[in-house]
PDB file of all heavy atoms in Angstrom:
ATOM      1  N   ALA A 408       0.401  -4.884 -14.951  1.00 85.00           N
ATOM      2  CA  ALA A 408       0.220  -6.293 -15.519  1.00 85.00           C
ATOM      3  C   ALA A 408       0.710  -6.264 -17.007  1.00 85.00           C
ATOM      4  O   ALA A 408       1.306  -7.252 -17.418  1.00 85.00           O
ATOM      5  CB  ALA A 408      -1.223  -6.725 -15.455  1.00 85.00           C
ATOM      6  N   HIS A 409       0.425  -5.108 -17.658  1.00 82.00           N
ATOM      7  CA  HIS A 409       0.870  -5.122 -19.102  1.00 82.00           C
ATOM      8  C   HIS A 409       2.430  -5.139 -19.251  1.00 82.00           C
ATOM      9  O   HIS A 409       2.839  -5.827 -20.146  1.00 82.00           O
ATOM     10  CB  HIS A 409       0.338  -3.854 -19.754  1.00 82.00           C
ATOM     11  CG  HIS A 409       0.728  -3.620 -21.217  1.00 82.00           C
ATOM     12  ND1 HIS A 409       0.010  -4.344 -22.124  1.00 82.00           N
ATOM     13  CD2 HIS A 409       1.539  -2.744 -21.776  1.00 82.00           C
ATOM     14  CE1 HIS A 409       0.606  -3.955 -23.366  1.00 82.00           C
ATOM     15  NE2 HIS A 409       1.498  -3.078 -23.188  1.00 82.00           N
ATOM     16  N   TYR A 410       3.148  -4.558 -18.291  1.00 85.00           N
ATOM     17  CA  TYR A 410       4.588  -4.345 -18.381  1.00 85.00           C
ATOM     18  C   TYR A 410       5.214  -5.410 -17.613  1.00 85.00           C
ATOM     19  O   TYR A 410       6.499  -5.883 -17.959  1.00 85.00           O
ATOM     20  CB  TYR A 410       5.045  -3.102 -18.054  1.00 85.00           C
ATOM     21  CG  TYR A 410       4.732  -1.935 -19.003  1.00 85.00           C
ATOM     22  CD1 TYR A 410       3.641  -1.085 -18.747  1.00 85.00           C
ATOM     23  CD2 TYR A 410       5.298  -1.840 -20.292  1.00 85.00           C
ATOM     24  CE1 TYR A 410       3.262  -0.103 -19.626  1.00 85.00           C
ATOM     25  CE2 TYR A 410       4.956  -0.838 -21.127  1.00 85.00           C
ATOM     26  CZ  TYR A 410       3.881   0.019 -20.778  1.00 85.00           C
ATOM     27  OH  TYR A 410       3.592   0.932 -21.715  1.00 85.00           O
ATOM     28  N   PHE A 411       4.741  -5.854 -16.442  1.00 86.00           N
ATOM     29  CA  PHE A 411       5.459  -6.782 -15.549  1.00 86.00           C
ATOM     30  C   PHE A 411       4.704  -8.183 -15.315  1.00 86.00           C
ATOM     31  O   PHE A 411       5.333  -9.056 -14.810  1.00 86.00           O
ATOM     32  CB  PHE A 411       5.593  -6.067 -14.186  1.00 86.00           C
ATOM     33  CG  PHE A 411       6.353  -4.751 -14.243  1.00 86.00           C
ATOM     34  CD1 PHE A 411       5.579  -3.551 -13.929  1.00 86.00           C
ATOM     35  CD2 PHE A 411       7.640  -4.590 -14.692  1.00 86.00           C
ATOM     36  CE1 PHE A 411       6.195  -2.363 -14.062  1.00 86.00           C
ATOM     37  CE2 PHE A 411       8.314  -3.410 -14.750  1.00 86.00           C
ATOM     38  CZ  PHE A 411       7.543  -2.298 -14.467  1.00 86.00           C
ATOM     39  N   GLY A 412       3.501  -8.228 -15.804  1.00 86.00           N
ATOM     40  CA  GLY A 412       2.725  -9.421 -15.510  1.00 86.00           C
ATOM     41  C   GLY A 412       1.681  -9.235 -14.340  1.00 86.00           C
ATOM     42  O   GLY A 412       1.797  -8.386 -13.512  1.00 86.00           O
ATOM     43  N   ALA A 413       0.643 -10.111 -14.459  1.00 86.00           N
ATOM     44  CA  ALA A 413      -0.448  -9.873 -13.525  1.00 86.00           C
ATOM     45  C   ALA A 413      -0.088 -10.186 -12.052  1.00 86.00           C
ATOM     46  O   ALA A 413      -0.508  -9.541 -11.181  1.00 86.00           O
ATOM     47  CB  ALA A 413      -1.585 -10.908 -13.944  1.00 86.00           C
ATOM     48  N   ILE A 414       0.747 -11.316 -11.893  1.00 89.00           N
ATOM     49  CA  ILE A 414       0.979 -11.666 -10.499  1.00 89.00           C
ATOM     50  C   ILE A 414       1.931 -10.596  -9.847  1.00 89.00           C
ATOM     51  O   ILE A 414       1.524 -10.201  -8.644  1.00 89.00           O
ATOM     52  CB  ILE A 414       1.726 -12.942 -10.446  1.00 89.00           C
ATOM     53  CG1 ILE A 414       0.789 -14.192 -10.923  1.00 89.00           C
ATOM     54  CG2 ILE A 414       2.345 -13.300  -9.091  1.00 89.00           C
ATOM     55  CD1 ILE A 414       1.405 -15.482 -11.086  1.00 89.00           C
ATOM     56  N   PRO A 415       3.034 -10.105 -10.366  1.00 90.00           N
ATOM     57  CA  PRO A 415       3.661  -9.126  -9.751  1.00 90.00           C
ATOM     58  C   PRO A 415       2.903  -7.795  -9.493  1.00 90.00           C
ATOM     59  O   PRO A 415       2.985  -7.178  -8.395  1.00 90.00           O
ATOM     60  CB  PRO A 415       4.876  -8.722 -10.774  1.00 90.00           C
ATOM     61  CG  PRO A 415       5.038  -9.853 -11.526  1.00 90.00           C
ATOM     62  CD  PRO A 415       3.663 -10.537 -11.658  1.00 90.00           C
ATOM     63  N   ALA A 416       2.008  -7.446 -10.299  1.00 89.00           N
ATOM     64  CA  ALA A 416       1.131  -6.292 -10.131  1.00 89.00           C
ATOM     65  C   ALA A 416       0.248  -6.377  -8.935  1.00 89.00           C
ATOM     66  O   ALA A 416       0.059  -5.478  -8.149  1.00 89.00           O
ATOM     67  CB  ALA A 416       0.248  -6.060 -11.404  1.00 89.00           C
ATOM     68  N   VAL A 417      -0.281  -7.587  -8.627  1.00 89.00           N
ATOM     69  CA  VAL A 417      -1.230  -7.811  -7.499  1.00 89.00           C
ATOM     70  C   VAL A 417      -0.291  -7.929  -6.237  1.00 89.00           C
ATOM     71  O   VAL A 417      -0.584  -7.273  -5.171  1.00 89.00           O
ATOM     72  CB  VAL A 417      -2.062  -9.104  -7.637  1.00 89.00           C
ATOM     73  CG1 VAL A 417      -2.859  -9.364  -6.352  1.00 89.00           C
ATOM     74  CG2 VAL A 417      -2.996  -8.948  -8.779  1.00 89.00           C
ATOM     75  N   VAL A 418       0.780  -8.635  -6.267  1.00 90.00           N
ATOM     76  CA  VAL A 418       1.630  -8.769  -5.105  1.00 90.00           C
ATOM     77  C   VAL A 418       2.218  -7.438  -4.661  1.00 90.00           C
ATOM     78  O   VAL A 418       2.243  -7.155  -3.386  1.00 90.00           O
ATOM     79  CB  VAL A 418       2.881  -9.759  -5.346  1.00 90.00           C
ATOM     80  CG1 VAL A 418       3.886  -9.678  -4.253  1.00 90.00           C
ATOM     81  CG2 VAL A 418       2.252 -11.242  -5.558  1.00 90.00           C
ATOM     82  N   ILE A 419       2.659  -6.627  -5.586  1.00 90.00           N
ATOM     83  CA  ILE A 419       3.148  -5.289  -5.229  1.00 90.00           C
ATOM     84  C   ILE A 419       2.054  -4.534  -4.507  1.00 90.00           C
ATOM     85  O   ILE A 419       2.301  -3.672  -3.588  1.00 90.00           O
ATOM     86  CB  ILE A 419       3.744  -4.523  -6.477  1.00 90.00           C
ATOM     87  CG1 ILE A 419       4.964  -5.282  -6.936  1.00 90.00           C
ATOM     88  CG2 ILE A 419       3.956  -3.083  -6.136  1.00 90.00           C
ATOM     89  CD1 ILE A 419       5.544  -4.831  -8.257  1.00 90.00           C
ATOM     90  N   GLY A 420       0.914  -4.571  -5.107  1.00 87.00           N
ATOM     91  CA  GLY A 420      -0.237  -3.814  -4.503  1.00 87.00           C
ATOM     92  C   GLY A 420      -0.542  -4.305  -3.109  1.00 87.00           C
ATOM     93  O   GLY A 420      -0.863  -3.377  -2.146  1.00 87.00           O
ATOM     94  N   GLY A 421      -0.464  -5.554  -2.758  1.00 89.00           N
ATOM     95  CA  GLY A 421      -0.711  -6.191  -1.452  1.00 89.00           C
ATOM     96  C   GLY A 421       0.275  -5.619  -0.491  1.00 89.00           C
ATOM     97  O   GLY A 421      -0.046  -5.105   0.612  1.00 89.00           O
ATOM     98  N   VAL A 422       1.557  -5.618  -0.821  1.00 90.00           N
ATOM     99  CA  VAL A 422       2.564  -5.182   0.045  1.00 90.00           C
ATOM    100  C   VAL A 422       2.475  -3.628   0.337  1.00 90.00           C
ATOM    101  O   VAL A 422       2.530  -3.105   1.328  1.00 90.00           O
ATOM    102  CB  VAL A 422       4.027  -5.342  -0.562  1.00 90.00           C
ATOM    103  CG1 VAL A 422       5.133  -4.819   0.254  1.00 90.00           C
ATOM    104  CG2 VAL A 422       4.227  -6.933  -0.752  1.00 90.00           C
ATOM    105  N   GLY A 423       2.178  -2.891  -0.808  1.00 89.00           N
ATOM    106  CA  GLY A 423       1.877  -1.413  -0.573  1.00 89.00           C
ATOM    107  C   GLY A 423       0.702  -1.102   0.266  1.00 89.00           C
ATOM    108  O   GLY A 423       0.880  -0.129   1.074  1.00 89.00           O
ATOM    109  N   THR A 424      -0.381  -1.864   0.206  1.00 88.00           N
ATOM    110  CA  THR A 424      -1.483  -1.625   1.207  1.00 88.00           C
ATOM    111  C   THR A 424      -1.039  -1.908   2.583  1.00 88.00           C
ATOM    112  O   THR A 424      -1.576  -1.111   3.524  1.00 88.00           O
ATOM    113  CB  THR A 424      -2.661  -2.543   0.735  1.00 88.00           C
ATOM    114  OG1 THR A 424      -3.013  -2.379  -0.632  1.00 88.00           O
ATOM    115  CG2 THR A 424      -3.807  -2.309   1.764  1.00 88.00           C
ATOM    116  N   LEU A 425      -0.335  -2.857   2.848  1.00 90.00           N
ATOM    117  CA  LEU A 425       0.206  -3.071   4.263  1.00 90.00           C
ATOM    118  C   LEU A 425       0.951  -1.908   4.679  1.00 90.00           C
ATOM    119  O   LEU A 425       0.952  -1.464   5.931  1.00 90.00           O
ATOM    120  CB  LEU A 425       1.024  -4.401   4.349  1.00 90.00           C
ATOM    121  CG  LEU A 425       0.225  -5.727   4.229  1.00 90.00           C
ATOM    122  CD1 LEU A 425       1.249  -6.854   3.947  1.00 90.00           C
ATOM    123  CD2 LEU A 425      -0.614  -5.947   5.411  1.00 90.00           C
ATOM    124  N   ALA A 426       1.888  -1.398   3.878  1.00 90.00           N
ATOM    125  CA  ALA A 426       2.772  -0.252   4.198  1.00 90.00           C
ATOM    126  C   ALA A 426       1.841   0.988   4.429  1.00 90.00           C
ATOM    127  O   ALA A 426       2.116   1.775   5.380  1.00 90.00           O
ATOM    128  CB  ALA A 426       3.696   0.027   3.104  1.00 90.00           C
ATOM    129  N   VAL A 427       0.794   1.196   3.685  1.00 88.00           N
ATOM    130  CA  VAL A 427      -0.059   2.331   3.893  1.00 88.00           C
ATOM    131  C   VAL A 427      -0.735   2.339   5.213  1.00 88.00           C
ATOM    132  O   VAL A 427      -0.830   3.315   5.934  1.00 88.00           O
ATOM    133  CB  VAL A 427      -1.128   2.438   2.699  1.00 88.00           C
ATOM    134  CG1 VAL A 427      -2.332   3.373   3.063  1.00 88.00           C
ATOM    135  CG2 VAL A 427      -0.452   2.987   1.519  1.00 88.00           C
ATOM    136  N   ALA A 428      -1.215   1.231   5.576  1.00 88.00           N
ATOM    137  CA  ALA A 428      -1.887   1.003   6.870  1.00 88.00           C
ATOM    138  C   ALA A 428      -0.963   1.425   8.043  1.00 88.00           C
ATOM    139  O   ALA A 428      -1.376   2.069   8.996  1.00 88.00           O
ATOM    140  CB  ALA A 428      -2.471  -0.452   7.171  1.00 88.00           C
ATOM    141  N   ALA A 429       0.271   1.041   8.021  1.00 89.00           N
ATOM    142  CA  ALA A 429       1.274   1.305   9.050  1.00 89.00           C
ATOM    143  C   ALA A 429       1.543   2.798   9.063  1.00 89.00           C
ATOM    144  O   ALA A 429       1.583   3.400  10.166  1.00 89.00           O
ATOM    145  CB  ALA A 429       2.459   0.517   8.779  1.00 89.00           C
ATOM    146  N   LEU A 430       1.652   3.366   7.844  1.00 90.00           N
ATOM    147  CA  LEU A 430       2.031   4.760   7.762  1.00 90.00           C
ATOM    148  C   LEU A 430       0.967   5.613   8.184  1.00 90.00           C
ATOM    149  O   LEU A 430       1.200   6.632   8.904  1.00 90.00           O
ATOM    150  CB  LEU A 430       2.457   5.111   6.238  1.00 90.00           C
ATOM    151  CG  LEU A 430       3.792   4.665   5.741  1.00 90.00           C
ATOM    152  CD1 LEU A 430       3.930   5.053   4.291  1.00 90.00           C
ATOM    153  CD2 LEU A 430       4.957   5.332   6.537  1.00 90.00           C
ATOM    154  N   TRP A 431      -0.286   5.347   7.924  1.00 89.00           N
ATOM    155  CA  TRP A 431      -1.347   6.217   8.293  1.00 89.00           C
ATOM    156  C   TRP A 431      -1.720   6.125   9.712  1.00 89.00           C
ATOM    157  O   TRP A 431      -2.169   7.056  10.349  1.00 89.00           O
ATOM    158  CB  TRP A 431      -2.642   5.887   7.406  1.00 89.00           C
ATOM    159  CG  TRP A 431      -2.996   6.790   6.325  1.00 89.00           C
ATOM    160  CD1 TRP A 431      -4.027   7.643   6.131  1.00 89.00           C
ATOM    161  CD2 TRP A 431      -2.191   7.164   5.069  1.00 89.00           C
ATOM    162  NE1 TRP A 431      -3.957   8.394   4.978  1.00 89.00           N
ATOM    163  CE2 TRP A 431      -2.776   8.017   4.336  1.00 89.00           C
ATOM    164  CE3 TRP A 431      -0.857   6.604   4.629  1.00 89.00           C
ATOM    165  CZ2 TRP A 431      -2.317   8.592   3.220  1.00 89.00           C
ATOM    166  CZ3 TRP A 431      -0.404   7.036   3.496  1.00 89.00           C
ATOM    167  CH2 TRP A 431      -1.042   8.103   2.821  1.00 89.00           C
ATOM    168  N   ALA A 432      -1.635   4.963  10.212  1.00 86.00           N
ATOM    169  CA  ALA A 432      -1.656   4.728  11.698  1.00 86.00           C
ATOM    170  C   ALA A 432      -0.740   5.585  12.516  1.00 86.00           C
ATOM    171  O   ALA A 432      -1.029   6.244  13.582  1.00 86.00           O
ATOM    172  CB  ALA A 432      -1.468   3.299  12.111  1.00 86.00           C
ATOM    173  N   THR A 433       0.385   5.926  11.950  1.00 87.00           N
ATOM    174  CA  THR A 433       1.399   6.866  12.541  1.00 87.00           C
ATOM    175  C   THR A 433       1.080   8.320  12.242  1.00 87.00           C
ATOM    176  O   THR A 433       1.237   9.069  13.172  1.00 87.00           O
ATOM    177  CB  THR A 433       2.800   6.476  11.967  1.00 87.00           C
ATOM    178  OG1 THR A 433       3.033   5.059  12.307  1.00 87.00           O
ATOM    179  CG2 THR A 433       3.817   7.396  12.722  1.00 87.00           C
ATOM    180  N   ALA A 434       0.741   8.643  11.034  1.00 85.00           N
ATOM    181  CA  ALA A 434       0.551   9.935  10.631  1.00 85.00           C
ATOM    182  C   ALA A 434      -0.806  10.552  11.046  1.00 85.00           C
ATOM    183  O   ALA A 434      -1.000  11.823  11.275  1.00 85.00           O
ATOM    184  CB  ALA A 434       0.506   9.972   9.006  1.00 85.00           C
ATOM    185  N   PHE A 435      -1.773   9.769  11.410  1.00 84.00           N
ATOM    186  CA  PHE A 435      -3.098  10.190  11.892  1.00 84.00           C
ATOM    187  C   PHE A 435      -3.442   9.651  13.255  1.00 84.00           C
ATOM    188  O   PHE A 435      -4.389   8.809  13.373  1.00 84.00           O
ATOM    189  CB  PHE A 435      -4.237   9.946  10.902  1.00 84.00           C
ATOM    190  CG  PHE A 435      -4.101  10.729   9.594  1.00 84.00           C
ATOM    191  CD1 PHE A 435      -3.409  10.114   8.537  1.00 84.00           C
ATOM    192  CD2 PHE A 435      -4.590  11.997   9.484  1.00 84.00           C
ATOM    193  CE1 PHE A 435      -3.252  10.891   7.336  1.00 84.00           C
ATOM    194  CE2 PHE A 435      -4.554  12.702   8.239  1.00 84.00           C
ATOM    195  CZ  PHE A 435      -3.848  12.094   7.126  1.00 84.00           C
ATOM    196  N   PRO A 436      -2.788  10.058  14.323  1.00 84.00           N
ATOM    197  CA  PRO A 436      -3.009   9.441  15.607  1.00 84.00           C
ATOM    198  C   PRO A 436      -4.463   9.740  16.126  1.00 84.00           C
ATOM    199  O   PRO A 436      -5.004   8.929  16.889  1.00 84.00           O
ATOM    200  CB  PRO A 436      -1.953  10.148  16.466  1.00 84.00           C
ATOM    201  CG  PRO A 436      -1.594  11.383  15.769  1.00 84.00           C
ATOM    202  CD  PRO A 436      -1.667  11.081  14.401  1.00 84.00           C
ATOM    203  N   GLN A 437      -5.096  10.837  15.798  1.00 80.00           N
ATOM    204  CA  GLN A 437      -6.355  11.154  16.235  1.00 80.00           C
ATOM    205  C   GLN A 437      -7.440  10.192  15.578  1.00 80.00           C
ATOM    206  O   GLN A 437      -8.346   9.687  16.341  1.00 80.00           O
ATOM    207  CB  GLN A 437      -6.851  12.598  15.746  1.00 80.00           C
ATOM    208  CG  GLN A 437      -8.171  13.030  16.399  1.00 80.00           C
ATOM    209  CD  GLN A 437      -8.556  14.417  15.923  1.00 80.00           C
ATOM    210  OE1 GLN A 437      -7.786  14.970  15.096  1.00 80.00           O
ATOM    211  NE2 GLN A 437      -9.629  14.885  16.353  1.00 80.00           N
ATOM    212  N   LEU A 438      -7.150   9.769  14.368  1.00 78.00           N
ATOM    213  CA  LEU A 438      -7.996   8.719  13.772  1.00 78.00           C
ATOM    214  C   LEU A 438      -7.875   7.387  14.382  1.00 78.00           C
ATOM    215  O   LEU A 438      -8.784   6.765  14.694  1.00 78.00           O
ATOM    216  CB  LEU A 438      -7.697   8.657  12.259  1.00 78.00           C
ATOM    217  CG  LEU A 438      -8.469   7.609  11.396  1.00 78.00           C
ATOM    218  CD1 LEU A 438      -9.944   7.809  11.471  1.00 78.00           C
ATOM    219  CD2 LEU A 438      -7.918   7.625  10.014  1.00 78.00           C
ATOM    220  N   ARG A 439      -6.582   7.126  14.715  1.00 81.00           N
ATOM    221  CA  ARG A 439      -6.236   5.781  15.430  1.00 81.00           C
ATOM    222  C   ARG A 439      -6.870   5.723  16.746  1.00 81.00           C
ATOM    223  O   ARG A 439      -7.376   4.583  17.230  1.00 81.00           O
ATOM    224  CB  ARG A 439      -4.821   5.618  15.514  1.00 81.00           C
ATOM    225  CG  ARG A 439      -4.322   4.196  15.998  1.00 81.00           C
ATOM    226  CD  ARG A 439      -2.860   4.110  16.104  1.00 81.00           C
ATOM    227  NE  ARG A 439      -2.322   4.913  17.254  1.00 81.00           N
ATOM    228  CZ  ARG A 439      -1.440   6.071  17.101  1.00 81.00           C
ATOM    229  NH1 ARG A 439      -1.127   6.427  15.931  1.00 81.00           N
ATOM    230  NH2 ARG A 439      -1.030   6.720  18.197  1.00 81.00           N
TER     231      ARG A 439
END
């Protein structure tokens, strides 16, 4: 937020969380 602004900081985080959910569902099939 200090360098890019508060809104981009939150939006990038939301997109990243969605990506993590997809990646972990693939990487940990036993957990899924």
Side-chain angles (χ1 to χ4, degrees):
H409 181 75
Y410 290 105
F411 306 112
I414 293 175
V417 175
V418 169
I419 291 171
V422 173
T424 301
L425 289 169
V427 165
L430 287 172
W431 257 245
T433 303
F435 292 91
Q437 186 182 5
L438 178 60
R439 189 182 68 246

